[in-house]
Amino acid sequence: MTAQHTLAMIKPDGVRKRLVGEIIGRYEKAGLQVATMKMFHMTKREAESFYKVHSDKSFFDSLTDFMSSGPIIALVLRGENAISKNRELMGATNPKEAVEGTIRKAFASDIEKNIVHGSDAPETAEKEIRFFFSDLDILRSNP
Ligand code: IDP
Ligand code: MG
């Protein structure tokens, strides 16, 4: 199995709660390498574009308000099974359903403000990485 790339985000609530170091530490301890990362403050329009697969959902307006409410950290993580490994570290979308030891179980306040994002499949990972980064960002950070 070759290494995969996935897009992770530390959402505005994670940055506000000063969990950046804690969360990146969890990725690294699990064997995922940070391939590149950057802080962004998305506009409402950019958040709507990132989450357009959810545009028909009742929570779309609230979610995109939240995601544009403050800076996020976007990271590309690299490693064996990076996509599923990151999803395991995150825990279920609803922190009430997340298993003990996951990031969402430990830190999320509710189903919307759930601290982290992670791509759910190779095709979405590719698209989501492209949303924030170019090949050069990733290559330059890994000489
Ligand atoms: P995921 O982040 O675990 O992949 P998705 O179903 O892709 O979950 O939803 C994207 C994001 O939308 C969630 O992380 C959460 O912030 C928000 N969200 C999902 N379901 C709900 C809901 O029922 N109410 C409010 N926000 C939600
Ligand atoms: Mg999702």
Side-chain angles (χ1 to χ4, degrees):
M1 178 85 199
T2 54
Q4 271 183 337
H5 289 93
T6 189
L7 184 89
M9 274 194 276
I10 304 174
K11 295 184 178 185
D13 55 338
V15 174
R16 244 176 241 129
K17 291 178 176 174
R18 309 210 173 162
L19 292 169
V20 173
E22 162 75 32
I23 292 168
I24 294 174
R26 287 181 179 228
Y27 297 147
E28 292 192 317
K29 280 189 202 108
L32 295 172
Q33 180 192 10
V34 177
T36 192
M37 67 175 178
K38 189 172 175 185
M39 184 174 260
F40 296 91
H41 190 156
M42 286 191 278
T43 62
K44 170 91 170 165
R45 195 61 62 81
E46 286 163 347
E48 287 169 351
S49 172
F50 184 85
Y51 276 116
K52 61 175 171 277
V53 294
H54 293 307
S55 59
D56 58 343
K57 308 273 169 60
S58 59
F59 57 80
F60 184 66
D61 188 49
S62 174
L63 171 64
T64 53
D65 274 349
F66 163 55
M67 289 301 296
S68 57
S69 69
I72 60 102
I73 308 269
L75 311 93
V76 176
L77 301 176
R78 172 165 47 221
E80 294 290 313
N81 301 311
I83 295 170
S84 62
K85 199 178 269 184
N86 183 39
R87 296 288 307 190
E88 269 170 43
L89 292 174
M90 290 161 60
T93 309
N94 187 344
K96 289 192 192 118
E97 290 160 16
V99 305
E100 212 59 59
T102 61
I103 295 168
R104 284 168 165 172
K105 176 70 177 184
F107 305 117
S109 57
D110 58 67
I111 193 170
E112 178 181 88
K113 295 178 183 59
N114 59 7
I115 307 282
V116 280
H117 169 83
S119 308
D120 60 8
E123 309 75 55
T124 47
E126 180 62 28
K127 256 196 254 173
E128 291 176 356
I129 289 168
R130 289 274 153 230
F131 186 88
F132 291 106
F133 299 109
S134 72
D135 282 340
L136 285 180
D137 291 312
I138 297 165
L139 295 175
R140 277 188 188 134
S141 64
N142 288 278

